[in-house]
Amino acid sequence: MPQNTTDTIEVRATAKYVRIAPRKARAVISLIRNLPVAKALEVLQFSTRAASEDVAKVLRSAIANAENNNHLRGDDLIVKLAYVDEGPTLKRVRPRAKGSASRINKRMSHITVVVAPRKEA
């Protein structure tokens, strides 16, 4: 929930039910925490991880929310919070030897990015 006090404005964006394992998405999210948004987008652009596209999409959405809804400048924002929660798991079955089967878990993620204005101190 955005905190609309005079000194702290936080703007968030969330992507739910993203079909990537949370463990893989958390590795990408940890790269952008506490970075200015321009630097974070640059890091994500050159990352070879598959989750970087989904995280970049959420980050761009958070920047757009800040610019359009809260009238903040996109250049002055930093990634204050970024985290990945686990979503529901699709359970699938794969045939194995001697007529048995094993379960394949296809995991989903909920990706949240919170941006805030940079402190000029």
Side-chain angles (χ1 to χ4, degrees):
M1 183 171 280
Q3 300 169 350
N4 291 325
T5 61
T6 54
D7 19 271
T8 307
I9 296 176
E10 295 179 353
V11 184
R12 76 177 55 225
T14 304
K16 292 191 167 194
Y17 307 104
V18 179
R19 259 294 295 124
I20 192 145
R23 180 177 172 183
K24 296 177 181 181
R26 285 183 187 118
V28 174
I29 281 286
S30 64
L31 296 173
I32 65 166
R33 275 195 199 104
N34 301 319
L35 289 180
V37 292
K39 179 71 174 165
L41 284 171
E42 186 178 319
V43 167
L44 292 172
Q45 180 183 356
F46 292 106
S47 173
T48 58
R49 300 284 192 131
S52 62
E53 294 177 16
D54 296 321
V55 173
K57 191 172 181 180
V58 178
L59 178 57
R60 283 193 294 270
S61 177
I63 295 167
N65 289 343
E67 290 174 345
N68 295 322
N69 300 340
N70 296 80
H71 309 293
L72 299 172
R73 290 190 53 215
D75 303 335
D76 297 338
L77 299 173
I78 62 166
V79 179
K80 185 170 184 182
L81 267 176
Y83 56 91
V84 178
D85 293 326
E86 189 165 347
T89 301
L90 297 174
K91 293 161 182 85
R92 299 293 180 254
V93 176
R94 166 135 326 163
R96 304 307 279 193
K98 298 182 182 178
S100 65
S102 65
R103 190 155 88 185
I104 304 293
N105 292 326
K106 295 182 177 276
R107 301 180 188 275
M108 291 186 207
S109 301
H110 300 320
I111 302 170
T112 303
V113 175
V114 178
V115 295
R118 188 180 334 196
K119 297 285 185 218
E120 302 294 331

